[in-house]
Amino acid sequence: MKRIVLATPPSGFNNKGHLPPLGLGYIAAVLRDHGFEVAIIDSLVSGYDQQQAQDAIEAFSPDAVGFTSVTSDRFQTLELAQRLKQKKQDLFLFVGGPHFSFTPKDSFQNTGAIDAIIEGEGEISTLEMLQALRDGKNLQDVQGLWLRKNGEVIFTGIRDFITDLNELPFPAWDLYELDKYREYGDFPPVARKVGVISSRGCPYRCSFCSCPAFWKGGYRYRSAENFIDEVEFLYREFGYRSFVFWDDTFTVTDKHVNEVCAEIERRNLEITWSAAGRINRTTKPLLETMRHAGCVAMTFGVESVSPRILKTMHKSIKADRIETVLREALDMGLFVRSFFIFGFPDETMEDALLTARFINKLRTWGPNMSVEYGYLAIFPGTEIDQVAHADGQLSPDFSWYDPTTRSSDPEVPHVPFYRNDLLDHDAIRAELYKGELHTSGAAKKMLARAKRIRSLKDVGRGMKILKRMVKK
């Protein structure tokens, strides 16, 4: 047990875009520090199909293979694991990430290929598991694992989180094929950038998010010195000048943000960077500090502008602060992207149209204001998952591996959506499309939608929405 491959599945839906998978990089660095030979294979950025991913993994002749996986690529993960196991029965396969952490029993029941599931934070559990395999010790003595034993699924016990993130080595940056990571969307339009992370967790408990359960509501951050040491390393060794600060929420504490910004300026690093903020934790003075230290873009999860819906989703933001914060960031010269979700339980048309009209208002603010919206998806480990089970949308025997949850449309991730019968989705789309017509790039967006037409039913729905738009 010496040679280890850490991989992403092919053709998945990775909401991080084309940036290196940092979780695998951290685990790889820890394993390598303890004598293991490690390869990272990012099937997503390489554009691999199942066969190509299998070939790349097998070319390393690994003794064990670990996958990171989210709900939307769970099918691809199990398919690749099955292919590898069929080829080599004694190959040890393990998975981690939020999806498998929340669905260990369901996952084991739907595949015989996986040997272990890592729950939660992966560095130490993975290291001790592989050391135990190498040394012939009992895996049940390693905390943080889900295993099979005599036909049963067992848990070896909760592993405490790493107290001091500064003790971790930097991700194994040399194991990524960095030349492949050339773009990260158009926000802002910089051809070459890289993601780094200064904290883990989030103290908030949004009902649609798995972060509160995955990190047990905790929040830890690296020292500013340690974090910017990594930024400077990437700056000097790999020539990066643009960064994505990949924290779930970068602006949780003013102290951390101020210290990071001060460290960037103290070292005279000529970099630009973007980060995710929260409406309730972002002030004009903080934005000014960030801007002065090279911040060029901010993202905000707004979700809704209905005070009632914000309260029911536990968003912990005030509706009357949303426009103020977004405008302050935009007026400071930042690119601003805001995200919205429709379809929360008990959301009415009044709530939804309030949000849709606010989105249309933001679209008039110019090219530096970007808006994204979607409908409420159900993910394991979230409060919405519990609600969907309680109200019968997900049956008591629901499985995340039911074939009906797998989308045939490559544009759509394999996740169930929450059904809110109070909403007229065509009316919401009509309102949103009407606003979109007055923005730059409207023709391109409409053409993209036309290309997604798969049936006469899609055509009929489009005509229905168009009629609604005309009436309005």
Side-chain angles (χ1 to χ4, degrees):
M1 183 60 62
K2 184 177 182 181
R3 294 174 66 81
I4 314 299
V5 167
L6 301 175
T8 62
S11 304
F13 295 83
N14 184 338
N15 65 4
K16 303 299 190 190
H18 294 303
L19 290 176
L22 292 185
L24 297 185
Y26 275 109
I27 293 172
V30 170
L31 294 180
R32 197 163 58 175
D33 283 354
H34 288 82
F36 291 93
E37 297 176 22
V38 188
I40 293 176
I41 295 176
D42 186 355
S43 302
L44 176 64
V45 77
S46 295
Y48 289 154
D49 59 21
Q50 288 283 337
Q51 185 61 57
Q52 290 169 324
Q54 180 182 350
D55 291 345
I57 291 170
E58 291 174 344
F60 191 72
S61 300
D63 302 304
V65 178
F67 301 100
T68 184
S69 181
V70 293
T71 300
S72 53
D73 60 25
R74 66 196 181 281
F75 290 106
Q76 292 94 336
T77 300
L78 293 192
E79 182 180 346
L80 181 55
Q82 191 65 44
R83 294 170 69 103
L84 292 165
K85 196 66 127 181
Q86 287 175 348
K87 188 78 170 289
K88 186 180 180 183
Q89 285 292 317
D90 63 346
L91 180 63
F92 188 85
L93 300 178
F94 61 99
V95 293
H99 177 79
F100 286 94
S101 291
F102 293 127
T103 64
K105 293 182 179 180
D106 187 21
S107 298
F108 273 133
Q109 288 168 0
N110 283 276
T111 180
I114 299 298
D115 297 296
I117 293 173
I118 311 291
E119 180 177 285
E121 198 165 56
E123 288 88 355
I124 308 305
S125 294
T126 302
L127 172 64
E128 292 184 2
M129 176 186 70
L130 294 174
Q131 288 176 326
L133 286 169
R134 181 193 62 194
D135 300 337
K137 295 181 179 179
N138 193 339
L139 289 184
Q140 293 181 55
D141 295 330
V142 179
Q143 291 180 323
L145 306 183
W146 288 89
L147 305 166
R148 287 190 180 93
K149 182 182 180 183
N150 300 324
E152 299 292 327
V153 177
I154 64 170
F155 182 51
T156 62
I158 296 173
R159 177 175 294 280
D160 292 336
F161 289 128
I162 297 167
T163 303
D164 184 2
L165 296 179
N166 290 346
E167 294 179 354
L168 287 172
F170 296 160
W173 287 104
D174 59 301
L175 296 184
Y176 298 117
E177 296 180 88
L178 290 176
D179 286 344
K180 291 184 177 181
Y181 299 89
R182 299 303 301 177
E183 295 184 6
Y184 182 55
D186 57 355
F187 182 70
V190 176
R192 188 171 186 262
K193 64 179 71 172
V194 71
V196 286
I197 190 165
S198 75
S199 67
R200 293 184 179 182
C202 177
Y204 299 96
R205 55 188 187 95
C206 301
S207 63
F208 56 88
C209 182
S210 63
C211 189
F214 190 81
W215 297 112
K216 315 297 184 188
Y219 174 73
R220 297 157 291 152
Y221 56 85
R222 301 160 64 180
S223 69
E225 292 81 3
N226 176 268
F227 177 51
I228 301 304
D229 278 347
E230 183 180 2
V231 170
E232 185 168 14
F233 168 76
L234 292 166
Y235 179 94
R236 302 201 183 283
E237 295 298 319
F238 296 99
Y240 282 102
R241 297 295 183 267
S242 185
F243 296 82
V244 180
F245 290 3
W246 227 352
D247 307 49
D248 288 306
T249 305
F250 181 62
T251 62
V252 170
T253 71
D254 288 6
K255 178 177 182 293
H256 178 56
V257 174
N258 286 326
E259 288 176 348
V260 166
C261 291
E263 194 65 20
I264 292 171
E265 295 193 59
R266 186 183 71 80
R267 302 188 193 199
N268 294 316
L269 294 178
E270 296 181 0
I271 63 172
T272 59
W273 49 276
S274 62
R278 278 185 68 88
I279 296 297
N280 64 315
R281 293 299 312 157
T282 304
T283 62
K284 188 174 182 179
L286 195 68
L287 287 170
E288 290 172 341
T289 298
M290 294 168 66
R291 186 75 178 95
H292 196 262
C295 181
V296 293
M298 290 286 292
T299 61
F300 294 94
V302 178
E303 323 314 349
S304 174
V305 295
S306 164
R308 189 177 67 85
I309 298 303
L310 288 171
K311 183 176 181 180
T312 61
M313 75 172 76
H314 317 306
K315 187 64 184 178
S316 299
I317 66 176
K318 299 292 185 182
D320 58 6
R321 279 284 297 162
I322 295 170
E323 184 169 347
T324 298
V325 172
L326 297 181
R327 174 53 74 181
E328 286 175 346
L330 193 67
D331 288 348
M332 214 163 287
L334 298 174
F335 288 82
V336 180
R337 175 166 287 170
S338 51
F339 296 90
F340 297 85
I341 301 174
F342 294 97
F344 283 92
D346 299 323
E347 184 175 11
T348 66
M349 282 301 294
E350 181 180 359
D351 297 315
L353 290 177
L354 187 68
T355 298
R357 288 162 186 156
F358 182 73
I359 289 173
N360 287 341
K361 181 177 182 178
L362 294 181
R363 286 167 163 164
T364 68
W365 286 12
N368 286 3
M369 170 58 71
S370 174
V371 180
E372 301 286 342
Y373 64 86
Y375 292 87
L376 181 62
I378 304 169
F379 291 98
T382 66
E383 183 180 315
I384 292 299
D385 181 27
Q386 298 172 22
V387 171
H389 276 92
D391 65 18
Q393 292 199 35
L394 299 182
S395 65
D397 60 350
F398 171 80
S399 170
W400 287 95
Y401 300 95
D402 186 323
T404 62
T405 66
R406 184 164 190 167
S407 172
S408 60
D409 185 345
E411 298 281 342
V412 179
H414 312 305
V415 294
F417 288 83
Y418 188 84
R419 187 183 69 254
N420 180 338
D421 294 331
L422 299 174
L423 298 182
D424 180 340
H425 293 286
D426 287 340
I428 296 170
R429 292 188 186 99
E431 183 68 32
L432 291 165
Y433 292 174
K434 182 180 69 172
E436 196 172 276
L437 288 173
H438 300 291
T439 64
S440 60
K444 184 178 180 180
K445 293 175 184 177
M446 292 300 177
L447 179 60
R449 287 200 180 92
K451 289 180 178 179
R452 292 200 292 268
I453 292 174
R454 299 286 190 271
S455 65
L456 289 175
K457 183 178 179 181
D458 292 339
V459 175
R461 179 177 295 134
M463 292 302 295
K464 185 178 178 182
I465 293 171
L466 181 60
K467 288 178 181 177
R468 287 179 179 270
M469 291 170 64
V470 173
K471 286 181 181 180
K472 289 174 175 292

